[in-house]
Amino acid sequence: MREITKAVFPAAGLGTRFLPATKASPKEMLPLVDKPLIQYVVEEAVSSGIEEIVLVTGRGKRAIEDHFDVAFELEEELKAKGKHKILNEVQRIANLVTFCYIRQKKAMGLGHAVLTTKRVVGNEPFAVLLGDDIIDAEIPALRQMMSVYRRYPATILAIQKVPRSQTQNYGIIDGKKIDNGVYLVKDLVEKPSPDEAPSNLAIIGRYILTPEIFTALEQTRPGKGGEIQLTDGLKHLMAKQPIYAYEFEGKRYDAGDKLGFLRATVEFGLKNREFGSEFRDYLRKLKI
């Protein structure tokens, strides 16, 4: 069984839920307290043992590449001013992991974004992480999934329970529980109404995929808007090999949603070592 060392980060979306803030700036670079959203997810991947990240970008996403690159002028300026603490952090970011960038010329769905990485990923299992989902966990969510993969070496989907009233916002699984937090997936339903949902177990933005997903995606016909959906590709794959789902431990924030982003900002701000206590006092005294 091969270890998972590569991760795909689809980041070519238009960020329409955050317009006009994302008109000229990538959604992935929105600051959550003092770091851009995508850095949290990159750090989760690195902490889980990922050695190479394949980042699928598009027009207007150059800031992501620059953020994880060396910034010579900035570093020299920080050195000259004796700001060694922030200098070390800037240098750490540039050396987190090896990046490979692929340009998705047109946003044609999550499945298409994954498919564009076929030649780079090759014939090995890999992870997919979505920058919208920030997961605060003692053990990184992806590392938890890798532990499950060692027991069940097949495609693993991250899931969590959601209110029935919200099933239309997610891909929902129909599954049989076979282990602690582990389900054998029997079916996948994309954004079902509460009355039609087979469960309230929603697929969250973390995946471990076998290389056979590429063939499955090539056989997947585009759906609404000409997009190739990853869920449809997974349904093709499920006909040939088992797919499992894992209910991870940790708190997930939908940072691609304005309210979810605000919740994450408040809660991460409260846990900040530098000013969390002062921020808590401010919130207690706030009268609106």
Side-chain angles (χ1 to χ4, degrees), residues 108-109 112 217 220-230 232-233:
M108 294 174 59
H112 181 264
L217 287 170
T220 300
R221 298 183 65 180
K224 185 177 180 181
E227 294 188 345
I228 298 175
Q229 299 299 336
L230 181 57
D232 293 337

Side-chain angles (χ1 to χ4, degrees), residues 229-264:
Q229 299 299 336
L230 181 57
T231 301
D232 293 337
L234 289 169
K235 293 185 78 166
H236 277 284
L237 182 63
M238 193 165 51
K240 298 181 179 180
Q241 59 182 234
I243 291 179
Y244 299 92
Y246 173 65
E247 191 174 0
F248 62 89
E249 297 180 5
K251 186 167 184 178
R252 171 249 183 184
Y253 301 87
D254 181 5
D257 171 79
K258 292 177 184 178
L259 183 56
F261 180 80
L262 288 173
R263 286 171 175 160

